Amino acid sequence: MRNKFLLWGVVLLLCTWVIALLIKAHYWIPILLTAIYFLGVYNITQSKHAILRNFPVLGYFRYFFENISPEMQQYFIERETDGKPFPRNQRSAAYRRSKNLSDTVPFGTQLEVNHRKYEGIKHSIYAKSPKEELPRVWIGGEQCSKPYHASLFNISAMSFGALSDRAQISLNRGAKKGNFYHNTGEGGISPYHLEGGDLCWQIGTGYFGCRDEEGKFNPELFAKYASLPNVKMIEIKLSQGAKPGHGGVLPGVKNTPEIAKIRHVKPGETILSPPSHSAFSNAVGLLHFVQELRVLSEGKPVGFKLCIGDTKEFEDICVQMNVLKIYPDFITVDGAEGGTGAAPPEFSDGVGMPLEPALIFVNRTLKNYSIRERVKIIASGKVLTSLDILRAVAMGADACNNARGFMFALGCIQALRCNNNKCPTGVATQDKMLIKGLDVTDKAERVYHFHKNTLHTCNELIAAAGRDSYEEVDASMFMRGDEFEHLSDKYFPDILGNVK
């Protein structure tokens, strides 16, 4: 291909120039072809890209189509039910609810209802009328002097830096209007978190916003921000579902001077949070840290977030709770399927326990150690729809957090550009030009409506199941496709046995 390009390229250039000189017009055509030819010659001589070296100009089409492949997949190939990580039908439901439009769908389900992975709710022929009041739960045990009355559904951890300033303002204003909390993420409390909405302040391994010059925990700085009236809860992040056992990543292109000031780091550098905390190194240290933060925050609810990995480590924490008589007010269980930020693919795809078995394990373990009544469980990890929320509650959750659903409410189109500062909707970027496209007033309303309409559908679902309250939600409400696989053999053996 290289030799053909050099030979026929010269022939084409000569013919084009001769024709242009003869007719004395359209010189831009041979000039353009000359530029393309010399670009091809440069590609032949470079050694960095094999495709461009072998296909001097045509090779660029490969990079172009690779760059737009997520859009091509989403717009022209993806069906309603097979998009990843969220299918189009779930994204569409989130968009409609956030816009306060009808969320009905025409012509029946597109799901394979006889497939073993199908999940649904067993309705009752004695269905109830749905309640209008949205569900809430008290978080804060006997060692907490300032318990918080939280919504069942809240905004999960997304830092300023990962998300834009306008995105954070919209989330916080929506949380204020809907009376639910907004988790700050581990990036610290920014001015954009202080629009009046309730906050759950997340403390990660980097201690952003409450760290000294060496990156260690600073009690004085923590106490200063923990005393803010907006801060209702404190969450210690041990690990997250997107990359458990791996520190958070803030790409250098997103680390602006403003973000660096909030986090107490140097601007422009890629910030890697440590994989574990420096303030403690075992279960005893963790629980003492919980108690320290509770004292420094003057009695606000303090808990920790983790993705379950080695189950013995969690059991050890439960043992030490009873030994030390120190109990966290809540535990946020993050599933391995969660995550809005950047992570190595091996961590996203192959590390950590999914939410469903993790919730069941945590709930049963707390019960086994007789501490379940002292600790609330918050579920986090693709809890997007009303059905997801009720499934989490049935498996032991008292409340739920969600990140990507609220990103959809902000206008996220699942463009998969969160990690390169090129989010086209201005949500997950620090590019000022892109951020300008996000209208705060409109998006705050959408955040509010998404929360309200999702929980209203939850109320409708438990009413359809004949239940009066969320305390009655359990696994018996649900059915799975694998129950149907041999339905005929289980329920009609005599009848079918006579069929030849």
Side-chain angles (χ1 to χ4, degrees):
M1 185 67 183
R2 291 193 299 269
N3 294 334
K4 291 180 179 178
F5 176 83
L6 292 173
L7 174 62
W8 291 106
V10 169
V11 172
L12 180 62
L13 281 180
L14 289 175
C15 293
T16 307
W17 274 110
V18 169
I19 295 172
L21 291 172
L22 288 174
I23 65 175
K24 298 181 179 180
H26 302 296
Y27 291 109
W28 64 269
I29 296 178
I31 292 174
L32 177 62
L33 291 177
T34 302
I36 293 174
Y37 181 77
F38 280 103
L39 176 63
V41 171
Y42 165 76
N43 286 330
I44 290 172
T45 59
Q46 59 84 35
S47 59
K48 188 176 181 180
H49 301 288
I51 289 180
L52 290 179
R53 193 171 186 179
N54 290 332
F55 303 89
V57 174
L58 293 177
Y60 284 109
F61 286 94
R62 183 263 182 189
Y63 296 108
F64 171 73
F65 287 117
E66 181 185 48
N67 188 58
I68 66 170
S69 62
E71 289 82 2
M72 297 287 288
Q73 179 77 23
Q74 186 177 116
Y75 299 142
F76 301 108
I77 302 174
E78 177 185 312
R79 296 176 297 177
E80 288 292 314
T81 59
D82 61 6
K84 300 294 182 182
F86 291 94
R88 189 192 302 271
N89 60 349
Q90 289 188 359
R91 300 197 308 270
S92 297
Y95 295 144
R96 291 194 297 270
R97 286 172 180 165
S98 68
K99 296 175 184 178
N100 207 28
L101 301 175
S102 171
D103 59 357
T104 59
V105 293
F107 227 63
T109 181
Q110 296 187 34
L111 299 178
E112 296 289 343
V113 294
N114 287 312
H115 194 280
R116 64 178 300 117
K117 292 184 179 180
Y118 171 78
E119 291 186 358
I121 283 182
K122 299 174 184 176
H123 72 282
S124 171
I125 59 174
Y126 310 108
K128 310 283 186 177
S129 296
K131 296 180 179 180
E132 291 299 322
E133 182 181 1
L134 300 183
R136 306 191 72 81
V137 57
W138 281 103
I139 299 179
E142 59 191 33
Q143 297 175 337
C144 166
S145 60
K146 296 180 179 178
Y148 173 62
H149 203 206
S151 171
L152 179 69
F153 189 47
N154 305 279
I155 302 172
S156 195
M158 294 180 286
S159 304
F160 171 57
L163 299 193
S164 66
D165 51 4
R166 293 194 181 191
Q168 295 291 5
I169 292 172
S170 302
L171 289 172
N172 201 254
R173 289 183 182 177
K176 178 183 178 181
K177 184 171 182 178
N179 195 20
F180 54 99
Y181 73 73
H182 174 194
N183 192 306
T184 65
E186 66 173 310
I189 300 175
S190 72
Y192 314 110
H193 289 109
L194 302 176
E195 294 286 323
D198 292 344
L199 292 179
C200 177
W201 183 16
Q202 186 181 87
I203 309 298
T205 56
Y207 305 112
F208 300 124
C210 58
R211 60 187 264 148
D212 59 23
E213 294 181 355
E214 297 179 355
K216 308 295 184 181
F217 177 69
N218 186 319
E220 290 75 21
L221 268 178
F222 172 82
K224 173 185 175 183
Y225 287 103
S227 64
L228 293 172
N230 304 66
V231 176
K232 304 297 183 181
M233 298 165 54
I234 314 294
E235 180 180 79
I236 304 166
K237 192 189 85 169
L238 304 180
S239 59
Q240 65 186 99
K243 42 183 177 289
H246 190 287
V249 181
L250 179 68
V253 292
K254 286 188 173 185
N255 186 15
T256 65
E258 181 184 27
I259 292 170
K261 183 179 179 181
I262 294 168
R263 297 194 178 202
H264 294 222
V265 296
K266 294 181 179 179
E269 295 182 356
T270 295
I271 303 300
L272 302 174
S273 301
S276 60
H277 283 261
S278 59
F280 55 87
S281 58
N282 53 37
V284 173
L286 166 62
L287 295 174
H288 281 304
F289 192 58
V290 167
Q291 185 63 18
E292 179 184 2
L293 298 191
R294 189 181 282 138
V295 172
L296 289 171
S297 64
E298 300 179 343
K300 293 181 179 181
V302 178
F304 58 83
K305 171 183 177 177
L306 81 168
C307 178
I308 296 295
D310 187 341
T311 55
K312 293 180 180 179
E313 293 179 344
F314 184 79
E315 291 184 61
D316 182 42
I317 294 173
C318 295
V319 170
Q320 294 304 322
M321 287 183 198
N322 285 327
V323 171
L324 300 174
K325 304 301 179 185
I326 299 175
Y327 304 96
D329 297 294
F330 64 93
I331 296 173
T332 303
V333 181
D334 201 8
E337 64 270 52
T340 58
E346 291 84 357
F347 279 82
S348 290
D349 298 338
V351 182
M353 188 181 293
L355 180 63
E356 183 174 331
L359 264 181
I360 295 172
F361 165 73
V362 169
N363 186 46
R364 289 181 179 176
T365 303
L366 292 177
K367 287 181 177 179
N368 290 341
Y369 286 93
S370 302
I371 53 181
R372 179 64 181 90
E373 298 303 317
R374 298 175 180 266
V375 182
K376 290 293 191 291
I377 298 176
I378 301 173
S380 175
K382 292 188 76 172
V383 186
L384 174 70
T385 68
S386 304
L387 197 63
D388 295 332
I389 294 173
L390 293 184
R391 187 187 299 112
V393 172
M395 291 183 290
D398 297 291
C400 298
N401 289 346
N402 178 263
R404 286 170 286 187
F406 286 98
M407 288 178 70
F408 291 143
L410 292 173
C412 167
I413 59 172
Q414 197 169 284
L416 307 181
R417 298 284 187 265
C418 308
N419 62 331
N420 60 15
N421 206 37
K422 296 180 180 179
C423 170
T425 60
V427 176
T429 180
Q430 298 304 313
D431 187 312
K432 296 298 183 183
M433 188 277 291
L434 294 171
I435 294 173
K436 286 182 179 179
L438 196 156
D439 182 79
V440 170
T441 303
D442 175 61
K443 302 307 181 185
E445 284 295 308
R446 293 191 183 190
V447 168
Y448 161 71
H449 286 302
F450 172 68
H451 171 267
K452 183 188 70 172
N453 291 329
T454 300
L455 284 184
H456 177 70
T457 306
C458 282
N459 286 353
E460 291 182 319
L461 285 173
I462 66 168
R467 310 298 169 99
D468 289 308
S469 69
Y470 286 81
E471 286 72 24
E472 298 179 21
V473 174
D474 56 27
S476 67
M477 277 180 55
F478 291 84
M479 54 187 172
R480 297 185 63 132
D482 51 12
E483 298 177 28
F484 312 149
E485 285 191 337
H486 304 290
L487 194 66
S488 59
D489 295 334
K490 290 181 180 179
Y491 292 93
F492 310 110
D494 297 333
I495 297 175
L496 296 180
N498 296 325
V499 177
K500 303 297 183 181

